[in-house]
Amino acid sequence: NQGSLGFAYNGTYEGGYSGVPGPTGFSHFGSDNLAVLLDGYSSDVLIPPIGTLTVSNCTIAGWVYDGGGQADNAAIFFHRQTAVFGLASGNNILGSADWVKFTWNGGFYDDYTGLVLPTNQWAFVAMVINPTNATIYLQNGLTMSSTNIAGTYPPAPFDGASYIGWDTAGGNIGRRWNGALDDVMVFNEALSPGAINALYAGVPATETLSLAKSGNNLVLTWPLGT
């Protein structure tokens, strides 16, 4: 974890994982960028409980490498405690074609997004939630596509462990991602389409800075800080 919560919330690798080359060629990745390769039946990354965090607006995003033929509900990021939410892949509509699916408040998991994952290449996926809408994104290397699904999306607490690469409803060996994942991110805000594209492209989203003199200091203020 390199976010605002600090290293106390680092994840823990579990099971049969290994390091493999991750996505490169973007300004936020070095040429030696590594991703985690999960074996599809024993491995995941455990995210510890963030008991004080409840989100009304949320963004979950990350890079995925799919070799094709994922199990239905193979998790990219999943939280199954008091609240049930996450990103996964499905193949229960298009046979062997893996599509990006999402869950919030234990529902919406069979709402077809139409976003089919490319095989044997890196792709970027994201889920943006606000109280009345979910937007699911897929950048397949050619274009950024999205699907909006209106509904009721209540606040969700991070009151137990979350997992990268595993939905625990699958038991010890089910609903696990078989392939590579990199730079999985969680934000306690609903990011704009421009900000989602910036996460993919590696350029900062546009922000407005306010400047004010305070004695001998110059104070810079922007929407997320000072």
Side-chain angles (χ1 to χ4, degrees):
N1 169 55
Q2 295 182 348
S4 58
L5 295 174
F7 297 117
Y9 291 94
N10 278 356
T12 301
Y13 293 105
E14 299 183 319
Y17 67 91
S18 58
V20 295
T24 58
F26 300 88
S27 62
H28 52 333
F29 290 125
S31 59
D32 58 349
N33 178 49
L34 285 178
V36 61
L37 178 65
L38 305 177
D39 64 12
Y41 63 89
S42 73
S43 53
D44 57 76
V45 184
L46 166 65
I47 309 300
I50 309 171
T52 60
L53 179 62
T54 296
V55 292
S56 297
N57 298 282
C58 183
T59 301
I60 299 172
W63 292 78
V64 303
Y65 193 98
D66 178 18
Q70 295 286 349
D72 192 34
N73 297 305
I76 298 167
F77 175 98
F78 222 87
H79 180 92
R80 185 177 287 276
Q81 300 291 334
T82 301
V84 178
F85 57 88
L87 263 174
S89 68
N91 60 18
N92 60 335
I93 292 178
L94 294 180
S96 61
D98 300 329
W99 55 280
V100 183
K101 69 188 319 185
F102 79 105
T103 299
W104 193 267
N105 194 34
F108 303 99
Y109 47 84
D110 277 336
D111 284 43
Y112 182 55
T113 65
L115 304 175
V116 177
L117 289 166
T119 56
N120 300 315
Q121 71 175 65
W122 284 102
F124 183 79
V125 297
M127 173 180 80
V128 178
I129 299 291
N130 67 41
T132 60
N133 191 73
T135 306
I136 313 304
Y137 293 88
L138 169 66
Q139 168 56 261
N140 62 7
L142 298 174
T143 185
M144 182 77 79
S145 301
S146 64
T147 298
N148 293 302
I149 298 177
T152 300
Y153 298 88
F158 282 78
D159 60 349
S162 306
Y163 291 90
I164 294 171
W166 184 30
D167 173 6
T168 56
N172 287 335
I173 62 174
R175 298 193 178 189
R176 291 185 181 270
W177 183 262
N178 183 14
L181 298 169
D182 197 22
D183 271 33
V184 177
M185 298 163 272
V186 179
F187 300 86
N188 60 343
E189 59 179 308
L191 295 182
S192 68
I196 293 295
N197 191 65
L199 290 178
Y200 165 76
V203 296
T206 300
E207 295 283 13
T208 299
L209 290 176
S210 298
L211 288 76
K213 188 176 180 182
S214 176
N216 292 325
N217 297 321
L218 181 64
V219 180
L220 305 181
T221 303
W222 60 98
L224 296 181
T226 301

